[in-house]
Amino acid sequence: MTHTRRRSRRSRVLVPSAALFVLAVAGCSDGGARPSVAVPTPSSEAAAGYCEKLHEELPETVDGLERNDPSPDSDLTAGWGDGAIVLRCGVPRPARMDDSQSKAVDADGVNWLLEQPDDADDGAGPRFTTTYRKAYVEVTLGTEYAHDITPLSAFAVPVKRTVPDSL
């Protein structure tokens, strides 16, 4: 009988421990965490200054998505939704800008280089980088925007206001 009592006591101890473990793991999951992105290093102090000004001018919503800046906190990055739209300012000049076959779009007076994801980039949507600006601004869109540049319009006025033309 003593042997049975010990098992029963262990079972009672293990059941709450297992339940607490599950709760602890669930509490540590990143269910509501902000997406993480690499913070760029602007090419000059002037470019960093333009990016800081741009950060102050960015909208609170883009295409119906609330602002949810990625981690780590930086004046060089911003986001909307759960990573559906991510902006990075002060990125290096993309090599594709030298490619005469590269594609570009104009969104309300701001020119953007279009870079489609490679097949290796699972789940990545299109990436756009401003052209003819004193700081390069990159916007990455989720796959739901694979054929839709509508969100770029939300950045036209802030970019024109804060990042001067380079021509």
Side-chain angles (χ1 to χ4, degrees), residues 21 28 30 38-39 65 77-78 88 94 101-102 104 123 134-135 150-151 154-155:
F21 177 76
C28 293
D30 62 351
V39 176
L65 300 173
T77 61
R88 298 184 328 131
Q101 300 299 313
S102 59
K134 293 194 176 185
T150 304
F155 305 117

Side-chain angles (χ1 to χ4, degrees), residues 40-58:
T41 303
S43 59
S44 67
E45 285 186 39
Y50 301 137
C51 292
E52 288 174 19
K53 289 179 183 174
L54 174 62
H55 191 79
E56 294 170 9
E57 297 282 330
L58 292 172

Side-chain angles (χ1 to χ4, degrees), residues 9-158:
R9 178 179 276 165
R10 282 187 196 157
S11 296
R12 285 186 209 140
V13 172
L14 289 178
V15 171
S17 296
L20 288 174
F21 177 76
V22 170
L23 288 173
V25 170
C28 293
S29 75
D30 62 351
R34 303 179 303 168
S36 179
V37 299
V39 176
T41 303
S43 59
S44 67
E45 285 186 39
Y50 301 137
C51 292
E52 288 174 19
K53 289 179 183 174
L54 174 62
H55 191 79
E56 294 170 9
E57 297 282 330
L58 292 172
E60 287 302 313
T61 60
V62 173
D63 199 37
L65 300 173
E66 293 293 319
R67 184 137 174 203
N68 181 24
D69 288 350
S71 65
D73 289 332
S74 172
D75 286 347
L76 303 173
T77 61
W80 292 264
D82 290 331
I85 301 171
V86 174
L87 179 144
R88 298 184 328 131
C89 186
V91 298
R93 183 180 190 274
R96 286 213 172 148
M97 283 194 184
D98 294 329
D99 182 356
S100 62
Q101 300 299 313
S102 59
K103 297 178 182 176
V105 297
D106 180 278
D108 295 337
V110 175
N111 293 313
W112 301 85
L113 169 73
L114 166 62
E115 294 181 88
Q116 292 289 354
D118 296 329
D119 291 335
D121 296 336
D122 287 338
R127 181 175 57 230
F128 298 88
T129 306
T130 56
T131 62
Y132 310 118
R133 297 275 162 191
K134 293 194 176 185
Y136 292 104
V137 179
E138 173 191 279
V139 173
T140 304
L141 302 177
T143 55
E144 60 268 35
Y145 295 104
H147 302 286
D148 183 5
I149 64 166
T150 304
L152 294 180
S153 294
F155 305 117
V157 170

